[in-house]
Amino acid sequence: MDLTFLLQLLINGLVTGSIYALVATGFVIIYKSSGALNLAQGEFLMVGAYLCLDLMIRWHVPFLPALLLTLAGAALLGLVIERMVLRPLLGSPVISVIMVTLGLAAVLRSSIQIAWGTDTIPFPEVFPAAPVKFGAVPVAPSQLYAVGCSALLLILLSLFFRSTLTGLALRATALNRQVALSMGISVRRMFALAWAIAAIVSAVGGVLLGSIRGGIDMSLGHMGLKVLPVVILGGLDSLPGAIVGGLVIGVLENITGGYLDPILGGGVKEVVPPVALVLILMIRPSGLFGTRKVDRV
């Protein structure tokens, strides 16, 4: 076995998995707060990537200010969507909210297509081009930055939920809305904050993906559905599960793709996430870290 090739696949898997974890975190935050899956999460990622690119190319904004403006725009988008589209559905069946997010995904995708077209647009080089070598394994600086940024954001989110009053209020809302209301917590405000955070983490993932790929196109929107097995694998209501699930799926994808795709003619990499999902759910139906619920009859 070529150890260098294996290490390269592991590194690529960790890079991919760290971005999966970011997007999965957005899924979990919204699910914990409202009990619904946001099927437009991939479109949030795509909006962030296109907005950051547009600021840099059309308006000549340097990368860091463009990134900050992108995060502010993503937060605003999340707040507007929650206020205008989802708040009127408060108290409606969960399936209604899920179907609305599906329609929202179509609207966002169409809007991006109208504004920027369907062609692949090169993403400006924002990180050094010269690879960094770990032994005999060359690693692109964009990949290192992607892992570092993802890890930093996930750590900040964990600290936010554990150590701040707002984070504790979000967790209380997720656990029991009635109790949260009785304690003076604005549940509607917490819902809006959850959507804003989910939009921000997805936007960061979109920018990182654009820098790694060197270009962006409409296929970025598929990342949401691709990450859905990661979310279910880790547990729909578990932030640590989203992180672990993202890393596990990212590494599995790259290792199986690297070794089995040449033998079987391709396609194995795309099959791994759902297969891993089915196998683990057969053992743990609530996911690796999800809350187990028992219905007594």
Side-chain angles (χ1 to χ4, degrees):
M1 179 182 293
D2 188 346
L3 183 59
T4 301
F5 182 57
L6 176 60
L7 289 175
Q8 186 69 66
L9 293 175
L10 284 173
I11 292 172
N12 291 340
L14 290 174
V15 172
T16 305
S18 65
I19 296 176
Y20 284 173
L22 270 183
V23 183
T25 299
F27 272 108
V28 171
I29 291 172
I30 290 178
Y31 180 81
K32 282 176 70 68
S33 66
S34 64
L37 283 175
N38 175 25
L39 298 183
Q41 199 70 29
E43 280 65 30
F44 282 176
L45 180 146
M46 189 162 53
V47 167
Y50 274 97
L51 179 57
C52 188
L53 180 140
D54 193 68
L55 288 169
M56 289 189 291
I57 292 180
R58 182 179 301 180
W59 304 103
H60 307 290
V61 180
F63 173 65
L64 286 179
L67 177 61
L68 293 176
L69 289 172
T70 298
L71 299 186
L76 181 61
L77 175 65
L79 291 172
V80 169
I81 288 175
E82 190 279 332
R83 181 65 181 87
M84 303 297 294
V85 179
L86 295 160
R87 188 169 296 186
L89 294 174
L90 194 63
S92 300
V94 173
I95 186 62
S96 300
V97 180
I98 294 175
M99 294 307 296
V100 166
T101 65
L102 187 60
L104 178 62
V107 171
L108 290 175
R109 179 179 291 275
S110 299
S111 301
I112 292 171
Q113 184 173 340
I114 292 170
W116 288 287
T118 58
D119 295 334
T120 300
I121 305 176
F123 202 90
E125 286 191 7
V126 295
F127 302 117
V132 179
K133 285 201 171 184
F134 290 89
V137 181
V139 181
S142 60
Q143 293 181 314
L144 294 177
Y145 278 101
V147 173
C149 290
S150 299
L152 177 62
L153 188 54
L154 291 170
I155 290 171
L156 290 176
L157 280 174
S158 298
L159 292 174
F160 169 75
F161 281 107
R162 291 178 179 275
S163 306
T164 67
L165 290 176
T166 305
L168 292 173
L170 269 170
R171 292 171 60 191
T173 303
L175 287 173
N176 193 306
R177 297 179 195 174
Q178 296 299 325
V179 173
L181 281 170
S182 67
M183 296 176 65
I185 296 173
S186 174
V187 171
R188 292 184 177 183
R189 188 175 300 171
M190 293 302 105
F191 283 178
L193 181 59
W195 278 85
I197 293 174
I200 288 173
V201 296
S202 292
V204 172
V207 173
L208 293 176
L209 273 178
S211 66
I212 292 173
R213 292 182 174 184
I216 59 175
D217 54 32
M218 299 296 292
S219 66
L220 282 178
H222 300 309
M223 182 62 71
L225 293 179
K226 193 172 184 181
V227 170
L228 198 52
V230 172
V231 182
I232 300 173
L233 174 65
L236 278 168
D237 58 353
S238 172
L239 286 176
I243 298 171
V244 173
L247 295 177
V248 168
I249 293 297
V251 171
L252 278 177
E253 269 190 357
N254 279 270
I255 289 180
T256 54
Y259 285 107
L260 297 182
D261 274 355
I263 299 174
L264 301 177
V268 178
K269 186 175 181 179
E270 303 300 324
V271 175
V272 166
V275 170
L277 173 65
V278 170
L279 292 177
I280 291 180
L281 290 184
M282 289 174 63
I283 302 171
R284 290 187 60 86
S286 57
L288 293 175
F289 297 92
T291 303
R292 298 184 65 183
K293 295 182 179 179
V294 178
D295 294 328
R296 301 186 183 277
V297 294

